[in-house]
Amino acid sequence: MAISNKIKGFMGQSSWIRKMFEEGDKLKKQYGADQVYDFSLGNPNIDPPDCFQEHLTRIVGMDTPGRHAYMPNAGYPETRAAVAAFLGQGHDVALSADHILMTCGAGGALNVILKTLLDPGEEVLTPAPFFVEYRFYADNAGGVLKTVKTNEDFSLDLAAMAEAINDKTKVVLINSPNNPTGKVYDEATIRKLAALMEEKGKALGKIIYLVSDEPYGEIVYDGVQVPSILKAYANSVIATSYSKSLSLPGERIGFIAVNPRILEIDDVINGMVLCNRILGFVNAPALMQRVIAGIQGMRVDVSEYQRKRDLLCDGLAAGGYDFQKPEGAFYLFPKSPIPDDVAFVKALQKRRILTVPGSGFGGPGHFRIAYCVDDRTIINAMDGFVETMKEFRK
Ligand SMILES: Cc1ncc(COP(=O)(O)O)c(C=O)c1O
C-alpha cells in the first residue's frame, strides 16, 4: 500500500463529513444548488464585520519594513500584547504578551498544546459527543483520545469523568460552546471539574492539564456566559481562533493563552513556541496577525445566528423533533427518531437535506445540523424535515 495503514484507517474513520460533502456535490449538480439544503459544514455564512475589511485594507496599504519576513515563532509582540490586554480584561486575569502564542487557527493551537504536553501513550480525556479531529490531534502528538459520556442534556457527567481519570491521563480537553451540541458548561460545573482535577492530580501525584477549546466562545445566546477556565484552574490553557468570531476560517488565525499560574510556566511556553516551529507552522500568518491586533473585541453579528437558531428550533419542535436548544455555537444536535442515525440521515438526504450522523461525533442516535446557512435554506428545508419525521413516526 502506498500510504500508511494508520492514515488509511483514519481516512475511513473521518469520512462522514466528507461523504456528506461528496453526496451534496452530486445532488447539487443533479438538482441545482438552491434545491439542496446543505447543513453539513460548520463554514460560517455571515461576512466578517466591516471593521475587518477596513482595517485589512489599511494594513495592506502600509509600507511596514519586514512585513513579509520571519518573525518570533510566538508571533508579533504587539499582536500578542493586544490579545493579552483584551482577553485579560474579559477573564479578569492579568495577562501579558508572554502568555499568548499566535497560531494557525484553533486546530493549530490544539496541535501545539498536545505536542508540548503529551508523552507517548498518555491520554487525553474529552466529553462525548466531540469534535472529530480531536482523535487525530491526540494521535499527532503520540497520545490517545479517550471519551467520557455526558448527561442527557450534554452537560458534563463529573462522576463519569472521575471514573475515567487514571495515571495515564495528562489532559482533560473541553469544548464549550460545544461542537456538535451547542452546550455551554456553566460556572458551577467548571468549578466542580477544576476541584475534581485538583483532587485527582494530588492523589495520582501529577499535573492534569485543562485544555479549553473555545473557538465559539463569542457565539453565545440569551445572555449565556462562558466561564473563565483561567480563573477556575491554574494548570489550564485556552486554544481559540477568529475563525468563527470574525468569520475568518480560511485565514488560519488563532492563539493559545497560557494561564499565568500554570506550573513550570517557562517550560510550557518555550515548549509551545518550539512546537509551533517544528510542527511546520513556524508562525501564524503575518498579515492576519497585524489585522487582528487592531480589531480586538470585534465580532460578527451574533444576533443573526440566534435568529437562525430560533427559526430552526421553532420549525423542528413543531415537526416533532426532540433536542436541547443550543446555548452557543451554530450547531443543533437533535435525537434521531430511530436508533440508527445513519439511516435517518440517509432518509433526510432523499429530501435533499444534508446533515451528519451523530455516530461520527461519538453521539449515536443523534444527528448534527450546522445552521450557519442562509435563512432561506432553513425555511425551504423545513417541509422536508417535517415529512421525514412523519415517515418514521407513522
Ligand atoms: C470544536 C472545534 N475546535 C476547533 C476547530 C478548528 O478551528 P480552526 O478553524 O480555528 O482551526 C473547530 C472548527 O470547526 C471546531 O469546531
Side-chain angles (χ1 to χ4, degrees), residues 50 74 86 104 108 153 177 243 332 377:
D50 291 344
F86 177 72
C104 293
D153 65 353
S243 299
L332 183 69
T377 304

Coordinates of all heavy atoms in Angstrom, one line a residue, residues 50 74 86 104 108 153 177 243 332 377:
D50 N -17.6 44.9 9.1 CA -17.0 45.9 8.2 C -15.6 46.3 8.7 O -14.7 46.6 7.9 CB -17.9 47.1 8.0 CG -19.2 46.8 7.3 OD1 -19.2 45.7 6.6 OD2 -20.1 47.6 7.4
A74 N 6.4 32.8 18.3 CA 5.2 33.0 19.1 C 4.3 34.1 18.4 O 3.1 34.2 18.8 CB 5.6 33.4 20.5
F86 N -6.9 42.5 25.8 CA -8.4 42.3 25.7 C -8.9 41.0 26.4 O -9.8 41.0 27.2 CB -8.8 42.1 24.2 CG -10.2 41.9 24.0 CD1 -11.2 42.9 24.2 CD2 -10.7 40.6 23.6 CE1 -12.5 42.6 24.1 CE2 -12.0 40.4 23.5 CZ -12.9 41.4 23.7
C104 N -2.0 29.0 13.9 CA -2.8 28.8 12.7 C -4.1 28.2 13.1 O -4.4 27.0 13.0 CB -2.0 27.9 11.7 SG -0.5 28.6 11.1
G108 N -4.5 24.5 14.9 CA -3.0 24.7 15.1 C -2.7 24.8 16.6 O -1.8 24.1 17.1
D153 N -28.6 16.1 28.8 CA -28.6 17.4 28.3 C -27.2 17.9 27.8 O -27.0 19.1 27.5 CB -29.1 18.4 29.3 CG -28.2 18.6 30.5 OD1 -27.2 17.8 30.6 OD2 -28.5 19.4 31.3
P177 N -18.6 26.9 24.0 CA -19.7 26.3 23.4 C -19.3 25.1 22.5 O -18.2 25.2 21.9 CB -20.4 27.4 22.6 CG -19.9 28.7 23.2 CD -18.5 28.4 23.7
S243 N -11.8 32.2 13.7 CA -12.4 31.5 12.6 C -13.9 31.7 12.6 O -14.6 31.9 11.6 CB -12.2 30.0 12.6 OG -10.8 29.7 12.5
L332 N -27.0 22.3 15.9 CA -28.1 21.7 16.7 C -27.9 20.1 16.6 O -27.5 19.6 15.5 CB -29.5 22.1 16.0 CG -30.7 21.5 16.8 CD1 -30.9 22.2 18.1 CD2 -32.0 21.8 15.9
T377 N -32.3 28.6 3.3 CA -32.0 27.2 3.4 C -32.8 26.6 4.5 O -33.4 25.5 4.3 CB -30.5 27.0 3.6 OG1 -29.8 27.6 2.6 CG2 -30.2 25.5 3.6

